[in-house]
């Protein structure tokens, strides 16, 4: 029997955003980031090890539930990572990859984070290799999707920036059990965004607001870390929203500018501010897309879903929460 492994890896939602790449060769960021690992938004990937005479192949589960060869743009991102992992392992093999997402791809919902974390861990497992979580984080990061470095861990996860080993891999700040936060995603756009996050990282330093944000980040990182450790929602909410606005401020003022928001994004943001004034524990954050992640406590989840779900631009809600990280499973896709 050929060696095969399947991994389910989670997406994550950044509280402190990675925005701007300092080193493309090694996918190293200008700034540290911190995220909550999700539970429901996941990628399942099966990797089968083939002999070297065969070609690498990539298939993707369609909305209709059948596996089809992936589009060229998708394969073009996956195959170089397979190449990298092949080199790392020293094995003369090829891979058959099949992958499925539980949520819309490419719409600013970290599908590349869960995708490359799942791919990396499934290749490692299919080859029968053991790696530490630090090494898994480094390998996932080298895919080119830096946020994948954070998706190999559960709970609340920091990816430090800087010289030396520190910036190489993500570390867990607190476990999933430490704080039961929810993420209700207001889906405003299901199709892939027009400008990739890679493009956004490249353009970010051209914004006049890029440098000022760098100076604010050490304090923000400290505030968010302490808010998580002490479960202080008010402190968390303030900084998380500031960070989300700043990412988009930088995107909109980059050369050329990038507008990820839709009119519905502003409507949702206003409704969240109103809900907070009325006492709900909720704040908003957006990655590189129009969809709004509403971070809230379990007590506030129902009111958030009811109020935001009633906004006409919101096509659906995804109820998610903090997850425990990737798992190896037996249910293979191929
Ligand atoms: O990992 P990438 O290259 O897809 O970039 C992720 C960028 C953001 O999602 C906007 C922020 C983050 O830290 O996840």
């Amino acid at each position: 029997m050929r060696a095969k492994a399947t991994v389910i890896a989670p997406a994550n939602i950044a509280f402190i955003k990675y925005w701007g790449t300092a080193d493309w060769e090694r996918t190293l960021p200008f700034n540290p980031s911190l995220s909550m690992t999700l539970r429901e938004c996941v990628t399942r990937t099966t990797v089968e090890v083939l002999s070297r005479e065969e070609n690498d192949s990539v298939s993707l589960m369609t909305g209709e539930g059948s596996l089809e060869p992936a589009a060229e743009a998708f394969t073009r991102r996956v195959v170089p990572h397979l190449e990298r992992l092949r080199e790392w392992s020293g094995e003369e093999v090829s891979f058959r990859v099949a992958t499925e997402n539980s949520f819309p791809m490419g719409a600013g919902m970290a599908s590349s984070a869960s995708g490359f974390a799942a791919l990396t861990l499934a290749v490692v497992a299919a080859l029968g290799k053991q790696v530490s979580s630090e090494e898994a984080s480094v390998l996932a990061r080298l895919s080119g999707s830096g946020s994948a470095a954070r998706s190999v861990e559960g709970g609340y996860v920091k990816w430090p920036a800087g010289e030396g080993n520190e910036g190489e891999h993500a570390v867990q700040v607190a476990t999933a059990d430490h704080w039961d936060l929810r993420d209700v995603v207001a889906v405003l756009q299901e199709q892939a965004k027009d400008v990739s996050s890679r493009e956004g990282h490249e353009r970010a330093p051209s914004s006049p607001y890029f440098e000022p944000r760098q100076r604010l980040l050490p304090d923000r990182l400290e505030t968010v870390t302490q808010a998580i450790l002490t479960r202080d929602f008010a402190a968390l909410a303030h900084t998380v929203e500031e960070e989300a606005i700043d990412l988009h401020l930088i995107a909109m003022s980059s050369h050329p500018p990038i507008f990820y928001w839709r009119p519905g994004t502003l409507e949702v943001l206003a409704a969240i501010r109103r809900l907070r004034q009325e006492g709900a524990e909720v704040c908003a954050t957006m990655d590189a897309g129009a969809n709004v992640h509403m971070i809230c406590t379990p007590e506030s989840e129902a009111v958030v879903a009811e109020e935001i779900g009633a906004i006409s631009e919101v096509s659906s809600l995804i109820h998610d929460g903090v997850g425990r990280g990737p798992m190896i499973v037996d249910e293979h896709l191929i």
Side-chain angles (χ1 to χ4, degrees), residues 15 19 31 37 42 54 58 63 74 94 100 118 127 148 163 167 190 236 273 293 302:
F15 292 171
W19 200 239
N31 66 271
T37 298
V42 295
E54 297 181 68
V58 185
F74 189 91
S94 293
E100 168 186 53
L127 291 173
E163 294 304 309
E190 298 230 1
L236 181 80
R273 274 199 301 279
H293 292 250

Side-chain angles (χ1 to χ4, degrees), residues 133-192:
S133 68
E134 287 83 9
E135 199 173 355
S137 178
V138 171
L139 288 173
R141 187 199 88 215
L142 291 172
S143 66
S145 169
S147 56
R150 301 188 310 246
S151 270
V152 303
E153 284 281 0
Y156 300 88
V157 183
K158 179 171 79 172
W159 176 25
E163 294 304 309
N165 274 349
E166 253 236 318
E168 294 277 336
H169 63 84
V171 285
Q172 190 180 59
V173 171
T175 63
D177 293 333
H178 170 74
W179 197 9
D180 177 12
L181 284 182
R182 306 290 163 86
D183 177 11
V184 184
V185 188
V187 180
L188 296 148
Q189 181 185 22
E190 298 230 1
Q191 73 274 33

Side-chain angles (χ1 to χ4, degrees), residues 87-326:
E87 208 169 288
W88 163 81
S89 72
E91 307 273 356
E92 281 298 313
V93 293
S94 293
F95 301 105
R96 175 177 297 141
V97 177
T99 193
E100 168 186 53
N101 266 348
S102 70
F103 60 103
M105 273 167 46
M109 296 187 54
S111 58
S112 61
S114 56
F116 281 113
L119 180 68
T120 303
L121 294 170
V123 167
V124 169
L127 291 173
K129 307 261 182 212
Q130 304 279 342
V131 290
S132 64
S133 68
E134 287 83 9
E135 199 173 355
S137 178
V138 171
L139 288 173
R141 187 199 88 215
L142 291 172
S143 66
S145 169
S147 56
R150 301 188 310 246
S151 270
V152 303
E153 284 281 0
Y156 300 88
V157 183
K158 179 171 79 172
W159 176 25
E163 294 304 309
N165 274 349
E166 253 236 318
E168 294 277 336
H169 63 84
V171 285
Q172 190 180 59
V173 171
T175 63
D177 293 333
H178 170 74
W179 197 9
D180 177 12
L181 284 182
R182 306 290 163 86
D183 177 11
V184 184
V185 188
V187 180
L188 296 148
Q189 181 185 22
E190 298 230 1
Q191 73 274 33
K193 57 196 179 233
D194 300 337
V195 184
S196 67
S197 45
R198 185 186 166 96
E199 194 65 49
H201 290 303
E202 270 176 22
R203 292 187 206 172
S206 69
S207 161
Y209 304 106
F210 181 77
E211 278 303 326
R213 172 174 174 258
Q214 299 300 313
R215 291 195 284 278
L216 297 169
L217 280 167
D219 276 356
R220 286 184 183 170
L221 187 67
E222 181 59 19
T223 304
V224 167
T225 306
Q226 285 309 318
I228 290 169
L229 294 178
T230 59
R231 302 185 195 89
D232 180 345
F233 192 85
L236 181 80
H238 183 77
T239 308
V240 165
E241 276 197 10
E242 252 177 15
E243 262 294 283
I245 306 290
D246 274 10
L247 182 152
H248 289 271
L249 175 75
I250 289 169
M252 289 182 212
S253 54
S254 293
H255 299 290
I258 310 168
F259 296 93
Y260 288 118
W261 291 5
R262 293 289 166 99
T265 311
L266 282 169
E267 207 169 319
V268 171
L269 290 177
I272 290 169
R273 274 199 301 279
R274 178 174 51 76
L275 282 171
R276 203 161 50 232
Q277 276 158 11
E278 291 166 6
E281 287 187 306
V282 58
C283 65
T285 184
M286 296 76 64
D287 278 346
N291 300 327
V292 184
H293 292 250
M294 300 176 284
I295 309 300
C296 59
T297 56
E299 296 73 28
S300 295
E301 186 175 358
V303 68
V304 167
E306 191 181 335
E307 295 286 322
I308 306 300
I311 295 175
S312 61
E313 284 92 338
V314 175
S315 61
S316 61
L317 295 176
I318 298 172
H319 286 264
D320 214 326
V322 54
R324 293 171 194 280

